[in-house]
Amino acid sequence: MSSVLLFPPADPQESVAYLQHKLSYYTDAWDLAKDLAQGVNAIVVVDARSTDVYQAGHITGAISFPHRTMNADSTAQLDRSKVYITYCDGIGCNGSTKAAWKLASLGFQVKELIGGLDFWKRDGHPLTWGTSPGEWPQVAPGAHCGC
């Protein structure tokens, strides 16, 4: 008996619903990089780590907003029409989950970045150092994801 087929796959319609639901919670580095490169302004990338760690290297375009400081008062200036993409160091860290949970609890639309800064770096996307979000660099024509 097949170990894979021990539990049969869902029917295609159930799979579509499940996978669409799953994708509503997450984005990956390639999709985020594409949107940032195209200047999509409907999203805000949030580095949920401490400000010191943010200054030591962060996703270009990300704002520093440590999850430990998020509350109704500190989020009052945020634009509720935006979707907030949270990230932290990577899969061994739950700072992005805590940030997404806090923001969602306060009524904001959120997604988490799969793999956080670790996967971002692995894919070779731009980083910025210091207190500024930084400017997105010009990307060579034809650069794209292999998936």
Side-chain angles (χ1 to χ4, degrees):
M1 176 81 183
S2 167
S3 294
V4 171
L5 300 177
L6 181 61
F7 298 95
D11 72 63
Q13 290 175 326
E14 288 177 347
S15 290
V16 166
Y18 166 76
L19 294 169
Q20 183 174 346
H21 188 69
K22 182 178 177 180
L23 288 169
S24 70
Y25 294 101
Y26 302 101
T27 190
D28 69 5
W30 284 101
D31 289 346
L32 180 58
K34 180 180 177 185
D35 280 3
L36 291 173
Q38 292 177 349
V40 173
N41 68 0
I43 60 173
V44 176
V45 182
V46 175
D47 187 315
R49 305 170 304 153
S50 72
T51 53
D52 290 343
V53 177
Y54 171 86
Q55 291 175 19
H58 58 272
I59 291 174
T60 299
I63 64 168
S64 177
F65 198 170
H67 71 87
R68 296 182 196 290
T69 67
M70 292 179 180
N71 58 45
D73 291 335
S74 66
T75 60
Q77 81 286 356
L78 296 180
D79 184 345
R80 291 185 179 274
S81 70
K82 308 279 185 178
V83 174
Y84 292 87
I85 312 300
T86 63
Y87 78 91
C88 56
D89 285 328
I91 60 173
C93 176
N94 67 3
S96 65
T97 304
K98 289 176 180 178
W101 176 80
K102 287 178 180 181
L103 290 171
S105 296
L106 292 165
F108 294 93
Q109 294 182 36
V110 297
K111 286 191 174 196
E112 278 188 89
L113 177 63
I114 296 170
L117 190 61
D118 180 36
F119 284 17
W120 183 266
K121 289 179 188 178
R122 286 184 194 193
D123 289 344
H125 299 302
L127 296 172
T128 299
W129 293 264
T131 59
S132 168
E135 295 292 323
W136 193 261
Q138 294 296 320
V139 178
H144 67 280
C145 172
C147 53

